[in-house]
Amino acid sequence: MADAISAAGSCLQPLCECLDGTGMLDAAAREVASFLHLKSNWADLDKAKKLLLAVETTVRARVTAEVDKLNICDPQVQVWLRRVEELQLDAIDEDYSQLRKYSCLGQCTIHAHRRASIGRRVLEALDEADKLIEEGRRFKKFGFKPLPKIVDPLPQIKTFGLETMLSQLHDLFEKGDSNIIGVWGQGGVGKTTLLHVFNNDLEKKAHDYQVVIFIEVSNSEALNTVEIQQTISERLNLPWNDAEPIAKRARFLIKALGRKRFVILLDDVRKKFCLEDVGIPTPDINSQSKLILTSRYREVCFQMNAQRSLIEMQILGNDASWELFLSKLSTETSAAVEPLGSQSATREHAMKIAQSCGGLPLALNVIGTAVAGLEEGEWQSAADAIATNMDNIDGVDEMFGRLKYSFDRLTPTQQQCFLYCTLFPEYGSISKEQLIGYWLAEGLLLNDSEKGYQIIRSLVSACLLQVSGSMSSKVKMHHVIRQLGLWLVNKSDTKFLVQPGMALDNAPSAGEWNEATRISIMSNNITELSFSPKCKNVTTLLMQNNPNLNKMSYGFFRTMSSLKVLDLSHTAITSLPECDALVALEHLNLSHTHIMRLPERLWLLKELRHLDLSVTVALEDTMNNCSKLHKLKVLNLFRSHYGIRDVDNLNLDSLKELLFLGITIYAEDVLKKLNMPRPLAKSTHRLNLKYCADMQSIKISDLSHMEHLEELYVESCYDLNTVVADAELTTSQLQFLTLSVLPSLESVLIAPMSHNFQYIRKLIISHCPKLSNITWVRRLQLLERLVISHCDGVLEIVEDEEQYGEQMKMQDHASDEQEDHAMVETSRNDTGQSDFPKLRLIVLTGLKKLRSICKPREFPCLETLRVEDCPNLRSIPLSCTHNYGKLKQICGSVEWWEKLQWENREEVACLDSKYFIPI
């Protein structure tokens, strides 16, 4: 028997070795194992299914975050997700459940084939699931920024009557006789709207061109070459280097564009410029590229070589004008002027008004807005008013004549305030506070500043002023509306000399000053005023923001006996010329100048009500003038080099009408005297504490008599170690806090709500080396701007609450121990509100040891995060799971950004690179 078995084995051995070489035995063993271990394999598959679902959920969330940021899903991730969908684990579960009904041995034998099939599928699915889980865990990149679109669509604008002009532009574009096309016409006629629509239309022709670039050329009188180059670089997805010379960058852009068939749309070209100087190669027929420009001036189109393909922008026809006019009216008013079935007197008057606008879109917008809410009985008088004084007006005069109705609806005071706004540069913002200060001095508001804010709201409502971006504290004028204002001035008996923001190196000649009542030469490059103008009628003279102006003739003001407003701020003057003649002067601004002392006879300016000497870094002496100006309502010495060093020098009690005091104090005993219950304390709005020797702590409640204090600036108080914002006893107005060059400062303690820091909107901390964190900022619910710089001890901006609380408990604060303990507890406890609900800006500079800002959390209003020279910062408090929907930019070095992305790939995966701006 043994011999037989041995012989059989000898015969089978070659066959087994042959089968083993083919892998058939392994496959057979795998089949048997899948049959015998079906139950355990299915259990493993069930676990793998749940794990795969978790991995899939994470991957899909990351993909969604990329798509939300307009990124494209990585192709490998797409394939992986498709494989997950094709796995069909639910079908296997159903089949296995059916098989389990036949659990006895006989039935298993009967269904052995089915069991083997299911076992094989379970094992295969388990292998595939394991692979997918492993692959899914290895993904580091879930999406990438797509290449720029050929056409970047602009916001859709509802248009009226543009079809003919648009068709004409398309015809010239397709004809190819010239590769440069010009569109010209008066301001407000719709050139920009036409270009917007044309840009979007080019999406249909995207296959003909490789890139379409829309550029807003004019944002100042001087060409902004850098901004144009930035726009081109962004559309070409090219790197940007601020340090690169403009000329070198232009040569690079010419080469980059030269390799493409491009269409460039230049909006609002004011003056001729060389395309190559900004980086645009002049298109020619061989290149098949195109350039379209708009301008108010036909001559500019000629100068830019668009003379062969030129379009004059036409005004709207009657039907389109009526449709645009109706679109500006309220629903009720629109229904009243457009009754169904018959004509009405109201409709006739409304049509008369619309026709009086002459088809000018800007006029239709402005006047339509002005009459948007008229009652039925007001239409006839409105139509008659618009028709007045319109005869024999051609061109620009006709446009302004029709726009004049919005001006005529203003009160005389509102009209004067509107015309005053034309003194400011054509582009840029105007501070409401500054504007109202001027109006007050000119006697336009009868000493009622609130009336000034009401007038600004009225002008905005009438579309004669615009709110400046997100800054509710500033306004601006549309350039056409400003030209309207200047036109109105020229039509009146008054004369303005208005040349602001025109890059002037020399002031207007003395003869031009003679008859002017208001003069503005602000924001230029004027260096000297060596003449003595004869302008006895001038009431306002604005010369601020001439940074190199350092010389004025001794008798410059000799004839200006009517002058009420004089602004020399942000100039380099070191002294003020003889000013005895300025007997009517009410508003004098010398802030941010290099003035060293005030004129000895400044006290003769008996009408002076506003004197601003803030940030006068060289001012040494006021010659006791301030205390003699008894009508002063505003005295601002905030952050001036001149400050009060001795108690006896605080002699301002004679200023009985003072409402606003900004002051710099150099001694703690002076501070105590100032804070006594008297009018001087009540009028203090801005306080600068500087070089206060031996002052070791500041308790904000000790400033309780300064009930209108808005800004506190503490600097160079070398012994100061503690700032305490204790529980407020009176309503705190403090909104701006700066702590600068305080080498001993270790603690800032905040009491439970309500505390004296609760209204702070801007916080600046610099050169405070002993501060290790500022976790207390969590208590500042209204904080909008946070700036921390050169605080060498700061490791984290906001520490973990428990760790912070334990550290603070260990500190001994002498007699204030119990009170401080309560403050520590508050810093750790939940207030029921999210941290930083209003924060818009974070700036971190020179924090060498900073490792972390804070744990990721909600930043619902954050717009800008700027990090500079913080080499150890390896994370930012933003992640895909938190809200930062208003984020616009993250500024930092390229090296820092790359390290951040590498070391925190998962946390910052949702932060599109479009947010990053290198510095």
Side-chain angles (χ1 to χ4, degrees):
M1 186 65 177
D3 293 335
I5 293 174
S6 177
S10 299
C11 294
L12 291 173
Q13 183 175 357
L15 177 61
C16 291
E17 290 177 353
C18 180
L19 291 173
D20 186 55
T22 64
M24 294 179 63
L25 290 179
D26 290 340
R30 181 179 172 84
E31 285 284 322
V32 172
S34 67
F35 183 94
L36 296 177
H37 301 298
L38 174 59
K39 185 175 182 179
S40 62
N41 285 346
W42 184 87
D44 291 341
L45 180 60
D46 188 60
K47 295 178 183 178
K49 176 183 175 182
K50 295 176 181 177
L51 189 55
L52 179 60
L53 179 61
V55 175
E56 180 189 12
T57 301
T58 301
V59 171
R60 289 190 182 278
R62 296 293 176 83
V63 170
T64 300
E66 294 290 338
V67 173
D68 288 344
K69 298 301 177 184
L70 304 180
N71 284 347
I72 297 175
C73 178
D74 191 287
Q76 295 183 51
V77 177
Q78 284 183 320
V79 171
W80 184 88
L81 290 171
R82 196 177 304 118
R83 286 169 56 198
V84 172
E85 292 174 355
E86 294 170 355
L87 196 53
Q88 297 182 344
L89 297 179
D90 291 337
I92 297 176
D93 288 348
E94 185 178 348
D95 291 344
Y96 179 79
S97 298
Q98 290 292 326
L99 182 67
R100 290 186 61 190
K101 296 179 180 178
Y102 309 98
S103 57
C104 69
L105 180 60
Q107 289 173 329
C108 285
T109 303
I110 295 172
H111 296 280
H113 177 72
R114 188 177 182 190
R115 178 186 176 96
S117 174
I118 293 173
R120 187 183 316 111
R121 289 169 58 199
V122 167
L123 192 59
E124 290 171 355
L126 179 60
D127 289 343
E128 179 67 6
D130 288 339
K131 290 179 183 178
L132 289 170
I133 291 169
E134 184 63 23
E135 291 174 13
R137 285 172 167 170
R138 286 202 302 264
F139 285 135
K140 301 300 180 186
K141 185 177 181 181
F142 299 88
F144 55 90
K145 187 176 181 179
L147 292 174
K149 294 181 179 179
I150 295 176
V151 178
D152 186 15
L154 297 169
Q156 291 291 337
I157 302 173
K158 188 175 182 180
T159 61
F160 301 86
L162 271 184
E163 294 80 8
T164 301
M165 304 305 306
L166 189 61
S167 175
Q168 189 176 350
L169 181 55
H170 276 292
D171 288 345
L172 278 178
F173 185 80
E174 297 289 346
K175 194 163 60 173
D177 286 352
S178 174
N179 287 58
I180 300 179
I181 301 171
V183 179
W184 73 279
Q186 58 187 311
V189 77
K191 302 183 295 295
T192 297
T193 300
L194 177 69
L195 215 56
H196 271 239
V197 175
F198 185 81
N199 175 86
N200 293 346
D201 281 354
L202 287 179
E203 280 195 282
K204 304 168 187 174
K205 307 177 185 296
H207 61 281
D208 295 334
Y209 299 93
Q210 294 170 296
V211 65
V212 177
I213 305 175
F214 186 99
I215 301 173
E216 296 179 5
V217 175
S218 181
N219 64 358
S220 66
E221 194 66 20
L223 186 70
N224 195 332
T225 301
V226 172
E227 190 169 304
I228 294 173
Q229 291 180 336
Q230 282 181 320
T231 301
I232 297 172
S233 297
E234 183 177 312
R235 290 290 292 121
L236 297 180
N237 205 26
L238 297 174
W240 179 263
N241 180 8
D242 277 323
E244 190 173 25
I246 290 176
K248 181 179 179 182
R249 191 186 298 125
R251 291 193 295 271
F252 177 76
L253 292 176
I254 288 173
K255 291 180 181 178
L257 281 171
R259 299 188 183 102
K260 296 180 178 291
R261 294 190 308 278
F262 62 81
V263 178
I264 289 182
L265 310 176
L266 300 177
D267 188 35
D268 197 11
V269 178
R270 300 279 185 92
K271 295 180 179 179
K272 174 191 175 182
F273 67 93
C274 178
L275 295 173
E276 282 75 11
D277 286 349
V278 300
I280 302 173
T282 300
D284 54 44
I285 295 177
N286 294 331
S287 69
Q288 297 183 349
S289 294
K290 301 276 187 179
L291 184 143
I292 302 175
L293 65 97
T294 69
S295 178
R296 301 182 206 175
Y297 313 106
R298 182 170 60 172
E299 290 76 15
V300 171
C301 294
F302 289 162
Q303 293 165 358
M304 297 295 291
N305 296 318
Q307 61 271 20
R308 294 182 59 192
S309 297
L310 196 61
I311 299 173
E312 181 181 359
M313 194 75 185
Q314 301 296 324
I315 59 175
L316 300 180
N318 289 338
D319 291 342
S321 296
W322 180 240
E323 291 177 11
L324 174 54
F325 181 78
L326 286 178
S327 73
K328 308 308 294 183
L329 303 183
S330 66
T331 303
E332 296 79 5
T333 305
S334 181
V337 301
E338 199 175 28
L340 297 176
S342 64
Q343 291 288 99
S344 70
T346 301
R347 177 184 174 88
E348 290 179 3
H349 295 315
M351 292 187 71
K352 184 179 178 181
I353 292 174
Q355 291 167 2
S356 295
C357 293
L360 188 70
L362 180 61
L364 288 159
N365 276 306
V366 172
I367 292 180
T369 300
V371 301
L374 287 184
E375 299 293 338
E376 185 173 350
E378 298 176 314
W379 282 95
Q380 182 173 354
S381 60
D384 292 340
I386 291 174
T388 304
N389 300 323
M390 294 283 182
D391 297 337
N392 301 318
I393 300 176
D394 297 320
V396 172
D397 280 356
E398 183 177 0
M399 176 183 70
F400 289 144
R402 291 180 169 87
L403 284 173
K404 184 174 178 289
Y405 173 66
S406 296
F407 174 81
D408 290 339
R409 281 179 61 89
L410 303 175
T411 67
T413 298
Q414 289 174 338
Q415 290 178 347
Q416 288 301 310
C417 290
F418 165 70
L419 296 179
Y420 203 97
C421 295
T422 62
L423 298 175
F424 291 84
E426 183 167 353
Y427 289 93
S429 299
I430 308 171
S431 165
K432 291 181 182 179
E433 182 181 358
Q434 180 186 40
L435 192 57
I436 290 170
Y438 295 159
W439 289 347
L440 283 167
E442 280 271 9
L444 299 176
L445 304 179
L446 299 177
N447 296 323
D448 184 0
S449 59
E450 180 54 37
K451 183 180 179 182
Y453 289 103
Q454 293 173 359
I455 290 175
I456 288 174
R457 288 193 290 270
S458 298
L459 294 176
V460 170
S461 179
C463 296
L464 296 174
L465 284 182
Q466 302 171 348
V467 176
S468 182
S470 61
M471 296 180 291
S472 60
S473 62
K474 296 186 178 183
V475 290
K476 61 182 179 180
M477 293 188 85
H478 188 282
H479 57 87
V480 175
I481 296 298
R482 181 174 178 272
Q483 293 300 319
L484 165 67
L486 293 173
W487 177 82
L488 289 167
V489 170
N490 292 334
K491 293 288 184 181
S492 69
D493 295 331
T494 59
K495 181 181 178 181
F496 287 8
L497 175 56
V498 182
Q499 297 185 15
M502 299 181 67
L504 300 179
D505 293 322
N506 299 301
S509 63
E512 296 180 67
W513 297 55
N514 290 349
E515 301 300 323
T517 56
R518 289 171 182 158
I519 299 173
S520 175
I521 53 173
M522 69 171 82
S523 303
N524 284 299
N525 299 319
I526 298 170
T527 59
E528 65 176 340
L529 297 165
S530 56
F531 55 91
S532 297
K534 297 178 181 179
C535 43
K536 62 181 180 179
N537 298 319
V538 67
T539 59
T540 289
L541 177 54
L542 305 180
M543 299 190 289
Q544 66 266 35
N545 296 315
N546 280 283
N548 298 313
L549 176 60
N550 60 11
K551 183 180 179 181
M552 300 175 68
S553 68
Y554 180 77
F556 187 82
F557 298 123
R558 190 164 292 168
T559 64
M560 300 185 186
S561 57
S562 299
L563 190 64
K564 295 182 177 181
V565 176
L566 174 59
D567 197 330
L568 281 162
S569 61
H570 294 275
T571 62
I573 61 168
T574 58
S575 62
L576 197 64
E578 176 191 358
C579 55
D580 296 17
L582 303 178
V583 293
L585 191 65
E586 295 191 16
H587 185 112
L588 175 59
N589 191 343
L590 299 172
S591 66
H592 295 269
T593 63
H594 299 162
I595 193 165
M596 301 178 67
R597 54 178 51 85
L598 297 182
E600 291 187 23
R601 296 167 62 83
L602 188 74
W603 62 273
L604 291 174
L605 309 186
K606 299 295 186 180
E607 297 300 317
L608 199 61
R609 288 164 168 80
H610 183 118
L611 177 58
D612 193 343
L613 298 166
S614 59
V615 201
T616 44
V617 295
L619 184 64
E620 296 177 355
D621 197 351
T622 65
M623 308 300 290
N624 290 321
N625 274 298
C626 297
S627 60
K628 299 176 184 177
L629 299 169
H630 295 153
K631 289 189 177 182
L632 274 182
K633 293 179 180 295
V634 175
L635 174 59
N636 195 355
L637 287 159
F638 180 70
R639 295 186 61 203
S640 171
H641 177 67
Y642 174 79
I644 310 300
R645 290 173 167 79
D646 188 271
V647 173
D648 295 333
N649 292 334
L650 190 63
N651 55 352
L652 300 176
D653 290 329
S654 59
L655 305 180
K656 303 297 183 183
E657 297 187 28
L658 194 65
L659 299 175
F660 180 105
L661 175 64
I663 192 167
T664 300
I665 289 177
Y666 286 87
E668 189 173 9
D669 56 345
V670 178
L671 175 62
K672 291 178 181 178
K673 181 179 179 179
L674 176 63
N675 190 47
M676 294 175 67
R678 55 180 182 166
L680 201 58
K682 189 175 181 179
S683 64
T684 301
H685 285 244
R686 293 176 185 166
L687 176 62
N688 180 200
L689 302 178
K690 190 173 183 180
Y691 298 119
C692 293
D694 302 325
M695 185 170 68
Q696 297 183 359
S697 67
I698 299 174
K699 186 179 288 187
I700 303 302
S701 63
D702 290 343
L703 308 178
S704 58
H705 295 298
M706 301 180 190
E707 55 186 78
H708 294 122
L709 186 64
E710 298 172 353
E711 182 167 5
L712 176 61
Y713 197 111
V714 185
E715 61 177 317
S716 303
C717 297
Y718 299 124
D719 296 324
L720 183 69
N721 58 59
T722 306
V723 176
V724 180
D726 42 354
E728 62 168 356
L729 302 177
T730 59
T731 302
S732 172
Q733 301 292 327
L734 194 63
Q735 298 182 44
F736 309 99
L737 174 64
T738 299
L739 304 172
S740 178
V741 194
L742 304 174
S744 300
L745 182 64
E746 296 180 356
S747 304
V748 178
L749 303 172
I750 299 183
M753 286 291 191
S754 299
H755 54 74
N756 285 293
F757 283 175
Q758 61 180 315
Y759 295 115
I760 284 183
R761 295 191 289 117
K762 181 177 180 180
L763 173 64
I764 299 176
I765 302 176
S766 67
H767 296 88
C768 297
K770 289 191 177 181
L771 277 181
S772 60
N773 66 76
I774 56 166
T775 302
W776 48 272
V777 296
R778 294 179 59 245
R779 310 296 300 168
L780 311 183
Q781 291 291 307
L782 299 182
L783 187 66
E784 296 178 9
R785 297 176 173 231
L786 175 63
V787 180
I788 313 293
S789 67
H790 301 94
C791 295
D792 295 339
V794 173
L795 303 178
E796 295 177 279
I797 303 299
V798 176
E799 282 190 350
D800 176 77
E801 287 91 6
E802 292 187 6
Q803 177 185 353
Y804 178 68
E806 291 301 321
Q807 290 177 353
M808 294 298 290
K809 279 183 181 180
M810 298 173 63
Q811 295 185 16
D812 180 17
H813 294 294
S815 61
D816 292 331
E817 181 176 357
Q818 184 175 355
E819 181 182 20
D820 293 349
H821 177 74
M823 296 179 193
V824 172
E825 290 300 317
T826 299
S827 73
R828 294 189 294 125
N829 292 339
D830 184 10
T831 64
Q833 296 175 295
S834 62
D835 296 338
F836 313 117
K838 303 287 186 180
L839 191 61
R840 296 191 294 113
L841 170 72
I842 301 175
V843 178
L844 307 173
T845 305
L847 304 179
K848 302 295 187 180
K849 298 180 181 179
L850 182 67
R851 298 192 303 263
S852 168
I853 298 175
C854 63
K855 291 182 178 179
R857 62 188 70 207
E858 301 290 333
F859 286 95
C861 294
L862 186 64
E863 297 175 0
T864 299
L865 170 62
R866 182 182 180 94
V867 177
E868 190 170 359
D869 195 19
C870 298
N872 293 307
L873 181 61
R874 294 290 186 265
S875 65
I876 56 177
L878 305 174
S879 72
C880 299
T881 58
H882 292 88
N883 176 20
Y884 54 94
K886 294 187 178 181
L887 185 66
K888 295 179 181 177
Q889 56 186 13
I890 299 175
C891 306
S893 68
V894 174
E895 180 184 8
W896 171 76
W897 177 250
E898 290 176 346
K899 287 183 179 179
L900 179 71
Q901 288 188 307
W902 174 253
E903 297 182 13
N904 301 274
R905 292 180 295 279
E906 296 184 0
E907 288 78 4
V908 301
C910 51
L911 293 179
D912 196 308
S913 293
K914 69 182 181 182
Y915 291 126
F916 178 65
I917 298 177
I919 57 175

